[in-house]
């Protein structure tokens, strides 16, 4: 395979807004066909995240750098499932066997983007957010509801948006299309901007189905049957649903990439229960 020299060498498809919800629906369908394997894989992923973050200072620096490498493992699991395989724990480490040198710079870009976005909030809120992060001020309902702080967070999110879009498809482009870091970041940014409509609908879908709907359902159950037992049940259900939705979002990284960069390609039918 010839390595794309520039971002403009990588072809992508521009989709209508409705594709954003289709990505979520297709991802949920893929997850539903292999619920237990995906839950095991995602649980292992978050367990590793927790263990790495336990290491003082070093863990908080290392994890963001390795995040794109682990992202490739989840992409590989979805790629394999689409071709008849079953996601497994070994998939999570496939990124360490392919293009690690190209993936690590993505982690550097991620860290730099987050740092820049965090620092930029002080231009609006006068350093309130940075003070909370540094522990100089205890978080409270009053401080978190402060209009300047919220405006600063919004500004920081806008600053982080270009980096977010540049990283959206970049790991997949590196592992599946052998792109270099610069070409992958550039192509991802171009494709994401061209597909801003479906990405916006996708983001709204995540907010509705990942945050608002489960919280509303939980509150309704507690209003209908208020008790300590029901509170425990609701917490368990929200945790279970959150884990399943998180798995769906990781699958959607692959589904959206394939639809944007390989639209119309056909595959052999998926064999239920087949393994690679």
């Amino acid at each position: 395979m010839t390595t794309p020299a520039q971002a403009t060498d990588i072809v992508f498809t521009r989709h209508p807004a409705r594709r954003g919800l289709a990505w979520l629906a297709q991802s949920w369908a893929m997850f539903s066909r292999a619920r237990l394997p995906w839950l095991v894989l995602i649980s292992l992923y978050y367990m590793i995240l927790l263990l790495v973050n336990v290491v003082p200072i070093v863990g908080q620096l290392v994890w963001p750098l390795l995040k794109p490498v682990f992202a490739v493992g989840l992409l590989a699991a979805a790629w394999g499932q689409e071709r008849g395989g079953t996601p497994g724990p070994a998939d999570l480490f496939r990124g360490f066997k392919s293009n690690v040198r190209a993936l690590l710079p993505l982690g550097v870009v991620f860290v730099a983007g987050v740092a820049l976005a965090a620092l930029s909030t002080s231009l609006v809120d006068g350093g309130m957010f940075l003070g909370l992060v540094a522990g100089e001020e205890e978080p409270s309902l009053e401080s978190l509801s402060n209009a300047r702080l919220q405006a600063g967070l919004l500004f920081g999110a806008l600053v982080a948006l270009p980096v977010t879009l540049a990283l959206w498809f970049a790991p997949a482009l590196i592992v599946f299309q052998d792109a270099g870091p610069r070409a992958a970041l550039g192509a991802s940014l171009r494709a994401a901007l061209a597909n801003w409509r479906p990405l916006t609908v996708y983001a709204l879908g995540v907010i509705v189905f990942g945050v608002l709907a489960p919280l509303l359902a939980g509150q309704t159950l507690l209003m209908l049957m208020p008790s300590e037992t029901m509170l425990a049940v609701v917490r368990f259900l929200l945790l279970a649903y959150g884990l399943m939705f998180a798995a769906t979002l990781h699958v959607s990284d692959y589904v959206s990439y394939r639809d944007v960069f390989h639209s119309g390609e056909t595959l052999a039918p998926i064999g239920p229960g087949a393994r690679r």
Side-chain angles (χ1 to χ4, degrees), residues 221-222 225-238:
L221 286 174
L222 289 174
M225 294 175 284
S227 68
E228 290 296 325
T229 301
M230 181 52 64
L231 178 60
V233 170
V234 167
R235 286 175 175 171
F236 172 78
L237 291 176
L238 289 177

Side-chain angles (χ1 to χ4, degrees), residues 153-241:
L153 290 175
L154 178 59
F155 181 73
L158 291 175
V159 171
L161 186 59
V163 173
T164 301
L165 297 180
L167 289 169
W168 195 284
F169 300 113
L173 288 168
I174 287 175
V175 72
F176 294 129
Q177 297 186 215
D178 203 26
R182 183 178 300 178
L185 289 166
S188 176
L189 181 59
R190 290 178 64 244
L193 289 174
N195 284 278
W196 69 269
R197 292 178 180 85
L199 282 174
T200 300
V201 172
Y202 171 90
L204 292 174
V206 170
I207 293 172
V208 171
F209 296 109
V211 181
L212 300 181
L215 288 180
L216 179 60
Q219 287 292 336
T220 302
L221 286 174
L222 289 174
M223 287 176 62
L224 294 175
M225 294 175 284
S227 68
E228 290 296 325
T229 301
M230 181 52 64
L231 178 60
V233 170
V234 167
R235 286 175 175 171
F236 172 78
L237 291 176
L238 289 177
L239 177 62
Y241 178 79

Side-chain angles (χ1 to χ4, degrees), residues 23-39 42 77-78 81-82 85-87 240-241 243-252 255 270 272-273:
W23 294 341
L24 283 174
Q26 292 171 16
S27 302
W28 178 263
M30 280 188 67
F31 164 73
S32 298
R33 289 195 291 268
R35 285 190 181 91
L36 183 57
W38 271 112
L39 289 176
I42 293 300
Q81 181 188 353
E82 193 178 35
T86 302
Y241 178 79
L243 194 59
M244 291 189 290
F245 195 76
T248 301
L249 293 184
H250 285 296
V251 175
S252 73
V255 170
I270 296 177

